[in-house]
Amino acid sequence: MKVLFIFSEGPHDAAFIKQVLELNLGINHTKCKIKEFPAPLNAIFKQTMQEHDMGDMSLDMATKFFLPDYVFRTDSSFILLFNTGGKDNVKVVKQLLSQILLRMQKQDKSFDFSLSDIRCLFIYDADYQQSSVRIQEMQEKLFPITENDAYPDDAEMQSEPPTVLLNQDTPAFYTWPDNSGTGTLEDILLPMYETAHADLLSNAEAFVNENFTRNFKCDKGTPAEICAKREKSQKAQITIAGQGKSPSYSMTVIVKENVLSDKTTFKGNPLVQKFAEALKTILVS
């Protein structure tokens, strides 16, 4: 069995990837209990939850464990789709992968897969940078992953020098929108939604420009600031336009439910197809 870990930047990224897996690749999302994950993931995820001091947690933190947002299964693979909470939140990713790789080195016969069966895909917005620059930046943040990453807050558990478990030349990377230039996931979503709802999105853009100019005006600032404001404006437009389906829908739900598009348009979008082909290549590798 192959196990693919997909680490996306945020919840609406994960929702979009879920749509690609289901609509373009025909791989259905499945609900999975901790005990149903392939060994040793079941034990690691259980330990992840048990290690939190429940007495120090508030009720609104009950779903904050670093577990997959979505799980997919095929006859030959298990796909775990995470949202990492942003480009800077690499600590939780390094910790999870370090714990998994350390456990896998034991080569226990009870494990349902081996080290050679593991694949990793990291997905980020290119933003204002070229794709290659963004990928290099994230490689430097994430790698190498060492045994010390399994216990980042416990100095007594760390060794010097630490054993390297994963280098940057093994995992795959993909950047929105097209894995080559600049931009964000919204540069896929907004044009695609406009093909089906041109007037609605135009009105949403006008509303955002008229009422939130101070927040989202994109003509001044550094390239990073201009890109961030443009992305926020696009997110606001999509969220406003999606309210016609059901008031109170978040952008994540709008993307996950494909509210502003249809299956044919989504599956046929060239940028969606390009990403789907990249996913397919990783799954069969």
Side-chain angles (χ1 to χ4, degrees):
M1 172 185 290
K2 291 181 180 178
V3 178
L4 172 60
F5 295 88
I6 303 177
F7 297 102
S8 64
E9 195 169 338
H12 62 285
D13 300 83
F16 174 78
I17 297 164
K18 174 182 179 292
Q19 286 288 308
V20 176
L21 284 164
E22 291 183 333
L23 297 181
N24 289 70
L25 299 184
I27 304 174
N28 292 324
H29 163 234
T30 181
K31 293 184 178 180
C32 192
K33 297 178 181 178
I34 295 293
K35 65 182 180 181
E36 295 172 338
F37 281 89
L41 295 181
N42 48 9
I44 291 170
F45 289 150
K46 182 179 179 180
Q47 180 181 350
T48 296
M49 300 185 72
Q50 290 176 336
E51 285 181 346
H52 283 75
D53 186 345
M54 296 300 173
D56 290 336
M57 290 183 64
S58 59
L59 292 179
D60 63 348
M61 293 177 64
T63 60
K64 301 298 184 183
F65 302 106
F66 191 52
L67 298 171
D69 289 40
Y70 307 102
V71 177
F72 304 81
R73 290 195 225 188
T74 70
D75 292 339
S76 59
S77 61
F78 212 90
I79 304 168
L80 297 91
L81 174 53
F82 296 79
N83 104 71
T84 64
K87 294 183 182 71
D88 295 327
N89 197 23
V90 298
K91 179 179 175 181
V92 291
V93 178
K94 291 168 71 74
Q95 183 174 13
L96 175 65
L97 288 177
S98 180
Q99 291 174 349
I100 292 170
L101 295 170
L102 277 174
R103 187 76 65 96
M104 294 300 298
Q105 287 186 337
K106 297 179 181 179
Q107 297 182 333
D108 193 308
K109 291 183 179 179
S110 67
F111 292 169
D112 295 320
F113 59 97
S114 65
L115 272 172
S116 62
D117 295 321
I118 295 176
R119 304 287 186 273
C120 294
L121 172 62
F122 296 88
I123 304 170
Y124 298 99
D125 288 325
D127 292 328
Y128 64 97
Q129 298 177 318
Q130 289 293 323
S131 174
S132 59
V133 176
R134 175 64 71 200
I135 290 174
Q136 182 178 353
E137 175 194 328
M138 296 312 303
Q139 285 176 329
E140 291 173 355
K141 285 185 177 182
L142 287 161
F143 301 103
I145 292 175
T146 73
E147 59 181 326
N148 286 353
D149 291 313
Y151 311 100
D153 301 317
D154 192 343
E156 294 182 1
M157 295 290 292
Q158 298 192 0
S159 61
E160 188 63 43
T163 301
V164 173
L165 302 173
L166 188 65
N167 278 310
Q168 66 184 43
D169 56 345
T170 304
F173 282 81
Y174 197 96
T175 60
W176 307 129
D178 59 4
N179 208 35
S180 60
T182 62
T184 66
L185 175 61
E186 287 67 35
D187 291 314
I188 300 176
L189 296 175
L190 195 56
M192 179 170 62
Y193 294 159
E194 286 174 339
T195 61
H197 301 282
D199 291 342
L200 179 60
L201 268 301
S202 178
N203 291 337
E205 181 181 15
F207 179 85
V208 169
N209 290 340
E210 181 179 350
N211 292 278
F212 306 124
T213 302
R214 179 178 298 180
N215 304 70
F216 303 139
K217 194 172 183 180
C218 307
D219 60 344
K220 293 182 181 180
T222 65
E225 291 169 341
I226 292 171
C227 180
K229 289 181 179 180
R230 179 173 175 270
E231 180 184 13
K232 289 177 181 178
S233 176
Q234 291 173 318
K235 287 179 177 178
Q237 293 170 45
I238 292 170
T239 304
I240 290 169
Q243 299 311 298
K245 175 76 171 182
S246 180
S248 80
Y249 267 19
S250 67
M251 179 176 170
T252 298
V253 176
I254 291 167
V255 175
K256 183 171 68 173
E257 301 295 333
N258 206 23
V259 169
L260 295 173
S261 185
D262 58 72
K263 292 181 179 180
T264 301
T265 300
F266 187 96
K267 291 171 63 176
N269 181 278
L271 293 179
V272 172
Q273 290 180 336
K274 182 174 183 177
F275 174 63
E277 283 301 314
L279 269 180
K280 186 176 180 180
T281 299
I282 295 169
L283 285 170
V284 300
S285 63

